[in-house]
Amino acid sequence: MTTDAQPTPAPPATPAPGPSREGVADALELLGLVAQLEHTAFVRLAADSAIAPTVEQRLALSRFAAAAVERRDRVIARIEELGADAATTLQPFDDVLDEFDARTPPSSWWERLLKAYVGYGVADDFCRLAAQGLDERSRAVVLDVLDDASHAELAVAELDAAGAQDDALSSRLALWGRRLVGEALSVVQRLVAQRPGLARLARAGAEPEAAAADQTVATDVQASTNVPTKVFGELTAQHTRRMGRLGLTP
Amino acid sequence: MTTDAQPTPAPPATPAPGPSREGVADALELLGLVAQLEHTAFVRLAADSAIAPTVEQRLALSRFAAAAVERRDRVIARIEELGADAATTLQPFDDVLDEFDARTPPSSWWERLLKAYVGYGVADDFCRLAAQGLDERSRAVVLDVLDDASHAELAVAELDAAGAQDDALSSRLALWGRRLVGEALSVVQRLVAQRPGLARLARAGAEPEAAAADQTVATDVQASTNVPTKVFGELTAQHTRRMGRLGLTP
């Protein structure tokens, strides 16, 4: 979007068009977040694999864990293409889900599954939205990686089967889902408040026309921290759809 | 070895030559053990990744963990080629290292590293030796998988660097290594006592001439449970070499 905004009659003697310097800094915030989320997914899935009740589940979960490492490393490859160091770029997001985890201890295997599905669902939706503000190549990497997050399938299949046979479980999980989405949305709120780059990308993603018209958006901190309500509206709508897929009242 | 023992003038109308029925049962014992050891390596490496002090180590260890899943799945592919179910084949080895783990709680990061290096080293050497008794294709899979166990490199590099600067650490680790190898060898002893298939393969691996001369070896339980001292001699020699690589007195 920023690279092909207008025709350039005489292209300057630079390599292939890439993001601007501010664009790179913002992109690294989002890439660092996505990579860290995938790493956290790996840690969680590996822990699930170690305690899963059957060998089949252990095998399946370990494969999901390995796939999360592979996805994280695709994002890291892009981080390194942009000339940044992987560890430094991931570090700021090291504890991104710690408070969410501390505030929402699951009390059963089902609550644990739903938590992963809802928690990562909201985080992934936010990243998908903010990815619209990225340079083309970074955006392609992020969207590819998020589309591959197949561990959601396991959660959906298991939760769907369990809930269909148990009304009491369904209503407990519906309640749990409402708690989870509230906590997940406040993670996103904190993130955009603390990370102006993420805020700018989310704004560009939610209001592409406004961002395209305003070429100074990447350096205009005042405007960028004002993340439109549209972002949270979109995240809530996606959550509602997600709970619907499980047959749970959102 | 069993497949090409003698020329067959008119090949029977069967598919490509494979192991005999007894050969398959024995092969599945070893393949199940190798797959379970790789799975256990995944669980351990993932747990190490979650607690490692730096982001760089966390990234490196998670990649080793993912590689262990990939190696395990190569063995599982062979298990399924032989017509067996993966979960059923791995299940008997589910707790193979539990007692070893319980008896050797490491008291530092270095002891933890050395434990993995020595514990998996002895187990891998045993599997490598027993693999000599397998049909050609299973043997190739097992040897490939064991050769790829790159997580040992990290242990060697870190332990070598740490020990070179600290004589007291070196002698503590040398002592720890002796304890570990004793416990690891008793794991192997228990395994061959409980699993006649593994015992037969280990015997065939250690004494190929005897096994080749005695074509009834695969069904001769009496002979097979008598695992030659040569096996344990070989495992001890490999351990001595391994400690030597670390500059530790074996």
Side-chain angles (χ1 to χ4, degrees), chain A residues 39 42-43 45-46 49-50 55-56 58-63 65-66 69 72-73 76 85-88 90-91 94, chain B residues 39 42-43 45-46 49-50 55-56 58-63 65-66 69-70 72-73 76 85-88 90-91 94:
Chain A
H39 182 76
F42 155 74
V43 171
L45 289 161
S49 171
V55 177
E56 282 87 354
R58 270 175 253 165
L59 295 178
L61 286 161
S62 68
R63 284 177 194 131
V69 168
R72 184 204 64 201
D73 283 352
I76 285 183
D85 173 66
T88 318
L90 269 69
Q91 184 78 68
D94 201 31
Chain B
H39 182 76
F42 155 74
V43 171
L45 289 161
S49 171
V55 176
E56 282 86 355
R58 271 175 253 165
L59 296 179
L61 286 161
S62 68
R63 284 176 194 131
V69 169
E70 188 274 323
R72 183 203 65 202
D73 283 352
I76 285 182
D85 172 67
T88 317
L90 269 69
Q91 184 79 67
D94 201 32

Side-chain angles (χ1 to χ4, degrees), chain A residues 67-152:
Chain A
V69 168
E70 187 275 323
R71 291 196 300 272
R72 184 204 64 201
D73 283 352
R74 274 192 270 158
V75 181
I76 285 183
R78 178 60 184 157
I79 288 171
E80 290 172 344
E81 261 176 32
L82 289 172
D85 173 66
T88 318
T89 309
L90 269 69
Q91 184 78 68
F93 303 103
D94 201 31
D95 55 0
V96 64
L97 293 184
D98 284 5
E99 198 178 325
F100 176 71
D101 274 338
R103 293 174 65 92
T104 55
S107 63
S108 70
W109 177 255
W110 306 116
E111 290 196 1
R112 190 175 165 100
L113 273 185
L114 188 63
K115 178 176 163 173
Y117 183 54
V118 169
Y120 282 91
V122 172
D124 285 4
D125 286 339
F126 171 75
C127 294
R128 213 172 266 123
L129 194 81
Q132 301 308 322
L134 288 176
D135 65 280
E136 198 175 322
R137 172 125 181 72
S138 301
R139 182 169 58 238
V141 170
V142 168
L143 295 182
D144 260 16
V145 158
L146 296 177
D147 278 353
D148 279 1
S150 52
H151 53 95

Side-chain angles (χ1 to χ4, degrees), chain A residues 13-248:
Chain A
T14 51
S20 66
R21 185 175 304 193
E22 295 81 9
V24 169
D26 289 1
L28 287 173
E29 285 201 353
L30 184 56
L31 292 167
L33 173 63
V34 174
Q36 182 61 53
L37 286 170
E38 291 297 333
H39 182 76
T40 311
F42 155 74
V43 171
R44 184 186 66 79
L45 289 161
D48 285 356
S49 171
I51 62 167
T54 71
V55 177
E56 282 87 354
Q57 283 171 313
R58 270 175 253 165
L59 295 178
L61 286 161
S62 68
R63 284 177 194 131
F64 293 147
V69 168
E70 187 275 323
R71 291 196 300 272
R72 184 204 64 201
D73 283 352
R74 274 192 270 158
V75 181
I76 285 183
R78 178 60 184 157
I79 288 171
E80 290 172 344
E81 261 176 32
L82 289 172
D85 173 66
T88 318
T89 309
L90 269 69
Q91 184 78 68
F93 303 103
D94 201 31
D95 55 0
V96 64
L97 293 184
D98 284 5
E99 198 178 325
F100 176 71
D101 274 338
R103 293 174 65 92
T104 55
S107 63
S108 70
W109 177 255
W110 306 116
E111 290 196 1
R112 190 175 165 100
L113 273 185
L114 188 63
K115 178 176 163 173
Y117 183 54
V118 169
Y120 282 91
V122 172
D124 285 4
D125 286 339
F126 171 75
C127 294
R128 213 172 266 123
L129 194 81
Q132 301 308 322
L134 288 176
D135 65 280
E136 198 175 322
R137 172 125 181 72
S138 301
R139 182 169 58 238
V141 170
V142 168
L143 295 182
D144 260 16
V145 158
L146 296 177
D147 278 353
D148 279 1
S150 52
H151 53 95
E153 307 307 319
L154 184 84
V156 173
E158 296 216 2
L159 285 166
D160 207 20
Q165 295 162 12
D166 188 339
D167 284 349
L169 178 64
S170 277
S171 36
R172 271 206 312 280
L173 288 177
L175 197 67
W176 178 240
R178 284 196 282 283
R179 220 178 110 211
L180 290 169
V181 75
E183 296 290 346
L185 289 173
S186 42
V187 171
V188 173
Q189 252 154 349
R190 269 199 308 280
L191 268 176
V192 292
Q194 289 164 1
R195 301 266 144 200
L198 289 180
R200 275 190 291 273
L201 290 171
R203 182 167 176 262
E207 296 180 336
E209 329 72 39
D214 177 11
Q215 286 298 316
T216 65
V217 67
T219 50
D220 185 353
V221 174
Q222 200 67 2
S224 69
T225 52
N226 176 21
V227 174
T229 340
K230 205 174 157 187
V231 170
F232 294 97
E234 177 67 19
L235 295 179
T236 309
Q238 293 286 359
H239 172 70
T240 304
R241 262 214 338 233
R242 200 176 294 119
M243 296 293 278
R245 278 181 69 193
L246 300 177
L248 297 177

Side-chain angles (χ1 to χ4, degrees), chain B residues 210-232:
Chain B
D214 177 9
Q215 286 298 317
T216 65
V217 68
T219 50
D220 185 353
V221 174
Q222 200 66 3
S224 69
T225 52
N226 176 22
V227 173
T229 340
K230 205 175 156 187
V231 170
F232 294 96

Side-chain angles (χ1 to χ4, degrees), chain B residues 51-245:
Chain B
I51 62 166
T54 70
V55 176
E56 282 86 355
Q57 284 172 312
R58 271 175 253 165
L59 296 179
L61 286 161
S62 68
R63 284 176 194 131
F64 293 146
V69 169
E70 188 274 323
R71 290 195 301 271
R72 183 203 65 202
D73 283 352
R74 274 193 269 157
V75 182
I76 285 182
R78 179 57 184 158
I79 288 171
E80 289 170 345
E81 262 175 32
L82 290 172
D85 172 67
T88 317
T89 310
L90 269 69
Q91 184 79 67
F93 303 103
D94 201 32
D95 55 0
V96 65
L97 293 183
D98 283 4
E99 198 177 324
F100 176 71
D101 274 338
R103 292 174 66 91
T104 55
S107 64
S108 70
W109 177 255
W110 306 116
E111 290 196 1
R112 189 175 164 101
L113 273 184
L114 188 63
K115 177 176 162 174
Y117 183 54
V118 169
Y120 283 91
V122 172
D124 285 2
D125 285 339
F126 172 75
C127 294
R128 212 173 267 121
L129 194 81
Q132 300 308 323
L134 288 176
D135 65 280
E136 198 176 322
R137 172 122 182 75
S138 300
R139 181 169 58 236
V141 170
V142 169
L143 294 182
D144 259 16
V145 158
L146 296 177
D147 278 353
D148 278 2
S150 52
H151 53 95
E153 307 307 319
L154 183 85
V156 173
E158 296 214 3
L159 285 165
D160 207 19
Q165 294 161 13
D166 188 338
D167 283 349
L169 177 64
S170 277
S171 35
R172 269 206 314 279
L173 288 178
L175 197 66
W176 178 240
R178 285 194 283 281
R179 220 179 111 208
L180 290 169
V181 76
E183 295 290 346
L185 289 173
S186 41
V187 170
V188 174
Q189 254 156 346
R190 268 199 311 278
L191 268 176
V192 294
Q194 288 163 1
R195 301 265 144 200
L198 289 180
R200 276 189 291 271
L201 290 170
R203 181 167 177 262
E207 297 180 336
E209 330 73 39
D214 177 9
Q215 286 298 317
T216 65
V217 68
T219 50
D220 185 353
V221 174
Q222 200 66 3
S224 69
T225 52
N226 176 22
V227 173
T229 340
K230 205 175 156 187
V231 170
F232 294 96
E234 177 66 21
L235 295 179
T236 309
Q238 292 288 359
H239 172 70
T240 303
R241 265 220 330 242
R242 199 176 295 119
M243 295 295 276
R245 277 182 70 193

